[in-house]
Amino acid sequence: MNEYLRTKIKVVSFFLVVLVVIVHAYNISGTTDPSGLYAISGINGFIQDFICQGLNRIASPLFFIISGYLFYVNLTAKVADFTRKVKKRFKTLIIPYLFWSLWGLLVYFLLQSVLPPSITFSRGIIREYSFGELMNAIFLDPIPYQLWYVRDLTVFAVLSPIFFILLRYLKGYLVIFFLFTWFYEFNYVIFRNQSVFFFIFGAFISHLDSGFMNKKSKAGAVIFTALWLLITAVKTTLIFNNCQSLILITVLHKISIVAGILSINSLYNNLLPDFQKITGHPLFKYVTFSFFLFASHEPVCTIVKKGLLKTAGSGDLQMFLVFLVTPVITILICVFAGYYLKKMLPRFYGTITGWR
């Protein structure tokens, strides 16, 4: 992997974490009918849905493409290679997962100890959890719900030899198979259909020529970006106008994700071609806090959002302003907390971030 691609992955990863934080600042409580459709209303609802349920939904798929690529790039069929990779994932995935899962529990427990009983929590009262509920909250369904991404990656690390063999013999056919399971919402129970498709796709392109990731095309950037924006706008408009076709909404949503991924790849290659300028920029040092921001932003984001909503009120304008301000405050809190924690306790910081 060349230095250009290494820098690109770091910058894009930080950008994607910012998108995730913005998604979690979403404060529209739409109603959902039995078919799975939901309703939005007003300009505030349209804008938030367009961004959070539309454009920003490329974040998780792109994360899995990057993860699949990084896991399988230069990987051989030797058992030692897989052993080394899986052992490394214990440090980079499992330890951070357990720490941040316990951190979320502790934060909720402390909040519930000091706040009045009238304030409700969606996850219930921690002190009233049974042993089974506590184990579930730690290992399977953590309060910092963004950790589902780390959980799925851990499963994929365990399954990586099987994926390697399947890719070796089936190649692109395996990608097509998982593409269909993503489109048809197949339930894998232990991981998400979206996760495995994009992870396998990342693994697949890791064996292609590295130039595939670095191609520059101004026409491609314009076309993919226009499609991404247009399809997302159409999907959001249909929801806004109470479209009753869940299949149509779902298909448009997934096509927009594919267009968005191609758009981000093309835009980066055309707008940021010089990695030396990027790495030399004063702000580049904050890119290294991607994982800390990802792991720590919840429940911080929810606390900030609910606090601002309680103060500002529930009018459309107030809710929109809270939507704009919440990610800014959350990112500043988390990045500066990570910066000073890394400075004062570098080994601890390294342990809880998987040494990223």
Side-chain angles (χ1 to χ4, degrees), residues 50-345:
F50 177 75
I51 295 171
C52 297
Q53 309 301 338
L55 297 181
N56 289 21
R57 288 297 170 174
I58 64 165
S60 293
L62 248 178
F63 269 135
F64 280 107
I65 290 175
I66 292 170
S67 298
Y69 179 88
L70 292 176
F71 191 96
Y72 284 96
V73 70
N74 299 325
L75 186 68
T76 68
K78 295 178 181 178
V79 174
D81 263 11
F82 285 97
T83 303
R84 175 179 54 83
K85 287 270 187 178
V86 172
K87 282 183 178 178
K88 185 178 179 182
R89 266 40 184 193
F90 182 80
K91 292 182 179 179
T92 60
L93 296 175
I94 296 177
I95 293 177
Y97 179 90
L98 291 175
F99 172 83
W100 291 106
S101 180
L102 290 169
W103 162 257
L105 270 174
L106 177 61
V107 170
Y108 263 46
F109 176 79
L110 293 175
L111 286 173
Q112 290 170 357
S113 299
V114 298
L115 292 175
S118 58
I119 296 179
T120 58
F121 289 79
S122 59
R123 296 295 297 269
I125 306 300
I126 304 300
R127 67 170 65 88
E128 295 177 359
Y129 276 19
S130 66
F131 179 76
E133 289 173 329
L134 192 61
M135 292 300 99
N136 181 70
I138 294 173
F139 295 103
L140 298 177
D141 188 22
I143 285 174
Y145 47 86
Q146 72 274 18
L147 293 179
W148 70 265
Y149 164 77
V150 181
R151 183 194 62 217
D152 280 13
L153 280 185
T154 303
V155 176
F156 296 157
V158 175
L159 297 177
S160 59
I162 298 173
F163 289 158
F164 183 87
I165 294 169
L166 291 173
L167 271 170
R168 189 173 188 177
Y169 290 101
L170 298 178
K171 298 181 172 61
Y173 293 110
L174 184 67
V175 178
I176 294 171
F177 169 77
F178 282 118
L179 171 63
F180 275 104
T181 67
W182 174 51
F183 257 92
Y184 287 99
E185 298 287 348
F186 183 81
N187 183 9
Y188 288 101
V189 182
I190 58 174
F191 51 75
R192 301 187 181 191
N193 52 63
Q194 174 181 270
S195 309
V196 69
F197 164 58
F198 287 104
F199 183 83
I200 290 296
F201 181 68
F204 176 72
I205 63 176
S206 71
H207 296 291
L208 301 178
D209 179 19
S210 61
F212 176 82
M213 302 285 286
N214 305 336
K215 286 182 179 178
K216 286 190 285 186
S217 170
K218 291 182 180 179
V222 171
I223 292 170
F224 291 138
T225 303
L227 282 173
W228 182 27
L229 295 171
L230 177 62
I231 296 169
T232 304
V234 170
K235 186 206 79 169
T236 309
T237 301
L238 289 173
I239 295 171
F240 188 78
N241 288 288
N242 298 315
C243 172
Q244 296 302 303
S245 175
L246 180 61
I247 294 175
L248 176 60
I249 298 297
T250 302
V251 169
L252 288 174
H253 177 67
K254 297 194 177 197
I255 294 174
S256 73
I257 287 175
V258 174
I261 290 170
L262 294 172
S263 170
I264 294 299
N265 184 60
S266 297
L267 286 172
Y268 185 96
N269 291 342
N270 283 280
L271 298 177
L272 301 170
D274 191 342
F275 75 89
Q276 291 179 328
K277 283 186 178 180
I278 297 169
T279 54
H281 196 281
L283 293 177
F284 182 74
K285 62 182 177 182
Y286 295 108
V287 168
T288 60
F289 294 99
S290 293
F291 186 83
F292 186 89
L293 175 58
F294 169 79
S296 65
H297 82 272
E298 282 291 352
V300 175
C301 185
T302 297
I303 294 169
V304 171
K305 177 173 63 177
K306 288 188 174 182
L308 289 174
L309 285 172
K310 196 160 187 67
T311 304
S314 57
D316 269 6
L317 179 58
Q318 294 96 316
M319 291 176 71
F320 183 67
L321 291 175
V322 168
F323 168 68
L324 294 178
V325 172
T326 296
V328 176
I329 295 175
T330 302
I331 291 169
L332 288 175
I333 289 172
C334 294
V335 169
F336 281 106
Y339 177 82
Y340 285 107
L341 188 61
K342 185 177 183 179
K343 189 175 181 180
M344 294 185 292
L345 298 169

